[in-house]
Each structure stands twice: as structure tokens, then as C-alpha cells.
Amino acid sequence: MSQPISLAAAHLKKAKDHLDLVKAQYRSAEESYESAKSLYKAVELSETFHPQSLFYLCESCAAIPMLKIFRPTTKPYRHPVGDLFRAIETQSSCALCKFFVEAFQVGSEDPTGERLHAQLTPRDTAIYLAQDPNSKPWYYRAGIDCSRPSCPFVWLQTGPRTLTGQPYVCISLQPTLGHNETGQRSEDNIHPRRRGALETFNGSLNYDLVKLWLRRCCAEHSAPCQIENAGLDPSLEIYLIDVHEKRFVRYTSGDRYAALSYVWGKGHATRSDHVKPLPGGPLPKFVPQTMLDAITFVEGLEEHYLWIDQLCIDQTNDEEMQRQMDLMDQIFAIAHLTIVCVDGPDADWGLPGVSRPLQRTKQPTVKIDCGQLTATFIHSQWHNNGTSVWDSRAWTLQERALSRRCVMFTQSYISMICRWAAFYDCLPISHGPDAIKSWLDHEYFREDGSGIVLDEPGWDFKDYDAVVSVFSSRQLSHQTDALNACRGLFNRLSAGGHQDFFFGIPTHDCHRASLWVPHFQHVLSRRIQFPSWSWAGWIGRIEYAYWVNDMAAYLKGDGADELRSNPRASKRRRLESLNVPPGHPQRARFVNVPYDESGPVILRIETTVTKFNLKLVRHESAPHRALRTNSQQSETAIGDHWTLIGQDGPPLRNEAGEHQCFELTDHFFRLKPEYSQVLIERHSEADFMFVEHWPRIRDSEASNKWLYNMVSALLIISNEDGTFWRLAAVLLKAEDWYARNPKLSNICMI
């Protein structure tokens, strides 16, 4: 074949390939157009056509006294309104039956509602409209409090009366003119926000709503929501992601950026190619879905920069990683907002509303004579407190507590929490002097870290207790990260309280900080990478007794405060003076020994020491018999229960117990069986080290129970080299301690 013919054939083939490509592009564009057209028609239909507005009610639904059910009462009750199986059968003709079925589908874990029959048993099919059992507004269930009253509402329930409202489908009433019997102006009441068409159709994120939240916070809130009042050095040496250019840039002072808080999950340390961040450098080829969604979200907010630890920190440089860990308190505090992926088990999960749909966003409505009913799913904050995947990870605590604004992505809702307010996607948003104000309800302690205060001037042991208690309850993939994962929190506490920390223990408050005990639902095991005298040296949730962190409230003066808080205190036995042995200190002296990385971390204590015989009262999981009615103690033993033997032979009684309110118990401390074996091998005899003599202590201001002349001590185990390690803390009567004739000693604890 001649050369001209070959060239012509090649040109013809190239033209044919181009024609095929154009045809494929045309077909793809045509399909996209038809898909968009179908979506538009569906949204248009959902916006304009409400078949329930032309309603017919079956005989059963017509007899429901709706106004009576929604009328506020002093004694909450629930009213039977039908049967769910019957409603499913008659929903095609009865608007209210159809509404009830759709409302139950909103609360169903199956978003399609196709398995609604399978989730019920014949005994569970009765439908109830129940008033709130605590007479609280509907938004309280979401952990929110507001500046305006709630609209008339009830909870949709089914099943036995023992259920208290799950799955928390709120049925709100917008009364028609002449049917408002609540005594309040309808426009003053807070109704659940009516979601937009795309939100209900496919669970899309409402970017305009989040922008309004941010605008409200920036315009109305002063310090500590604003960066100029954060009191931190803004000149960070970190890298950011330019979400528009998809490249790395170096942070410069004043750059406004978002930060991402998420759960890494397993495998990403090897799956990511860990491209070293360089100015102008590209992102890695593989980026997990949650990070991609965060980039999309920031771009949708019309912001410019994003910080993600896995991408913006050189994961191959240990020195650089440690330097960045030391900056965590500043990175999250200076961030304009923190994006929180609450329910994602790993970095591939994505953000709900971005790459995956938000669930339970539909809001069925029906118009009846007395007004319009709307069903809205409300995520129960108090029944899910601290149960999310994100709440379970140790690293995320400081990311939450240090951030000025957190946009929380969960499976069923979006919210934003700042230092002044809380915004929730079921709450309406408005501007101006009459705008609805909402904030976190702190009736219960929040396990997500939002209740932790880090910015108070001066040292407050309660803040330290909150950090240690919540952090120690969380999980670490690498136990060596026990202090790195909370370094930012302690940096902030150190700055505000002028307090240094040594392996997580405040150096100027060692005597109180040494008295940590396991949470009453936990027992501890050693984390050998850290010293035994630090809480970081143990795995499991720890806490401090209320009287330890609240002493400042009642250890002032000569006891007049006690008499003022409880006039009957004058009738109780007076503070007794004890014959304390000469030279015995009232408080142990803790001395930090210079840390040598080649050896163990030693804490030297100048104190007194004595021995006690011990008795194993109850093995782990054994029944706890003869408990008093309303006892706070567990019915089965959590860990092995041990007590101390008195000078005359009988076991001593623990007058304080281990719960918030003082309660007499038959044990002083609890151990895992493996540590009980250590005591058994020593013939149930151990050394105890004196910490402090307390003239009086109180369990709580509410209970106001007092104990007098108590001694706190640590159970310590001797090593062959003369050092000791800490095993437990106890509180006993001072007379029982001094009766053992304690001796002055210098203890080196590792």
C-alpha cells in the first residue's frame, strides 16, 4: 500500500474514533439531561403536591381528640390513637393513617420503610401520641435549649408503656386560626425547621443553612469565638490544602482554614502514599472519601483552605510529627471551624449529606381540622451520649474541646456548636434582635468533651478531672500515644492555670492528682510505657471522687460555710481533734526526680508508710448480696473487691464508698484478678503510703453529707531494687491510719 493511501486510512480511522467519542459523549449528556429532568419533576411534585391536604379520615382517626392530646397538662400521659397494622391496611384511603405509617418510617432504621412489618410484633402495634415524660420541649431531646417556648408537640410511640419514646419521632402541631388552645402566640413557638426539597428527597446537605450558622456566630459572638481574642500565637508552621487548586500551601498568619476531625480506622497508614506536603505540591493519588468530602464541603462554603492531619503532616518524619502534636492546641483553636465526622468508623466512610445521604430527613405532613401535623425525627442526645465511633477515640477529644466551632456530621442530622451557642438543623434560623437563640443544655455531663472548660483563668481541679476522666475512657490504637493524644489539652490547661504537667500529673497539685481511682464500672490494667503513679500508666476509665475536686467550695474558714449550707450541722458531732504522732506530716511531699530516658521515671515522695493486712471480700462477677434498697453499688462485683483489716482484727468499713454520694461499703478498692494474685502471693499484706489528712470532706453540695478526720493513702508494691509501684488509692478514718503507727519514709515510685 502506497504511503498516501496509508496516511488517508489512518486519518479516516482517527476521524471515525473521534465520531464514536462524540456519539458516546452525546449519549452521556442525553442521559444526564433525562436524569436531571426526572429529578426536577420529582422535586417540583414534592414541593407543590400534598395529597394529604385533601384529607379523608377513617372512623377511628376521626374520633381522635387531637386538641386534647396536644393541650399542655401537669401530668404527662400518652393517648392511644390506633393500630399500626390497621393503619398500613387503610393508608390508601385515610390521610391520618397514611401520615402515621410515614411517620413510623421516618423513625425506622430502614430508610425505605420496607421492613416496617418485620420490625414489629403483634403486641407492639398500638399507636400512641405521648406527651414528654419530663414536660420538656422537643428540642431538649436533641440536647438543646432555646430562648423561646416549644410549639405544641407529642412523641409518636408504639409498644408497651415501658418504652419512653424511642425512636423519638416528634409530631408537632401548627394550629389553624381559632384552634390554638395553648395560650401562646403561634409565631412565638419553635417548630422543627421545615427542610428543603433536596434535603428530604435525597438527604443532601443544606450549605446555605451552615453558612447562616457561621454568619450568626461571626457577627454576634465575641470572645472566645473570635480568633483575635483567642490569646494564641497565630504564626503556625503548618501546611494547608487549597480546596480549589487541590494542592498544598504553607499557612501564613491570618489565613482562614477549616480542620477535619475524624476516625482514621485501620489500614490507612499503609494505603495512603503519604506524599510529603510541599508548597504548591499535589495531593496524593489516593485520598480517603471523608477527606474528599471535607474538601467538597469547604469549597461549598466558599472557604479556601483545609487542614487534615493525615495529609498535612509528613507521616514519614517522626520529629516533624512530634512537633505537630505539640501544636495541636493551636491548630484547632485557630481554625475557623472544625469538621467532625461523628459516625464514620474509618476515613473511607464519607460525610453524610455530601457523598452519602443524610438519613431520616423526610418530614411527612397532614392537614386536619385543627391544624397541620408534621413528623420530624429527633436524634436523642441523652440516649446516645458518648456512644458514637468518634466519641470512642482518644485523639478526637482534644480536637473537640479545643475547637471554636464544630460542624458535626452524623447519620441523621447536622449541627454546629461554638463557644456561645448550638445550632441544629431541626431548629429554624433567623437574624435580628428577636432571632432565636439556642445553646447546649448541660443538665447532664457530655461525654463528647463539650462540657470541658479550658479557658478559665487560674487552676481549677474540676477541669483537670473532666479531661482525665473523659480521655481515659476512650480507645487508643497505639498505647504509646496516651500523652500525645491529649498534649493539646494539657498545653491549654497549663497556659490558663499556670501549671506544669509531669506525665499528665500537675506538678503543683500532686497530692490530689495522685488519688485517681477506677470508674465504678471499670477496673484497670497496666500501660507499661508510662509510670504506675500516673493515670497514663493504666488502661481503663479513671476518675476522682467529688470531694477531691470540689474541696475549694468548703475548705475555707472554720466551718461556718457548712453551718450556713445546712443549719442542722450544729447538731452533728463536732470536728474531733486527734492525737497525731509527733513529726507526722499533714500532707506528703512530692518531689520530681530529673527524668532520664535511659531508666524508669521516678517520683520521690517524703511521707509515712505502714502495713495493712488485706482480705479478698468478693471475687469478680460474684453477686453483691445484702445491698440496701436504692444502693448505688453494682449487684455483681466489677473486679475483685478488697478490704483492709483493722488493728483489732475485724475488717474495716469504707465510709465513703466510690459513688458520688457517700455510702458505707465493705470494700476499699477493686482490682483485676491478675493484680489480686500479686497481693495473694504477698500473703495479703501490703504497704500503704500516706497522702493527706482531711479534717472534713463532703460528697456533694446537693447531698451535703460530711465525713470527718479522714486519711487518703496509696497501696504500693515493693520491687527488688527498693522502688515501689502504685496499685490503688484508699480513703479511711484517720484513727485507723494512726493506730498502725506509720513511719517516716522516702518512697521512690516508678
Side-chain angles (χ1 to χ4, degrees), residues 355-374:
S355 67
R356 59 189 301 126
L358 281 163
Q359 299 177 8
R360 300 175 175 178
T361 58
K362 295 185 183 300
Q363 289 177 293
T365 64
V366 63
K367 290 183 179 179
I368 55 179
D369 286 338
C370 62
Q372 178 172 285
L373 303 180
T374 302

Side-chain angles (χ1 to χ4, degrees), residues 655-656 662 695-698 705-710 731:
E655 296 203 359
F662 289 153
R696 65 185 185 276
I697 58 176
R698 182 181 63 185
K705 295 180 181 178
W706 295 77
L707 294 176
Y708 301 88
N709 280 318
M710 306 297 290
L731 179 73

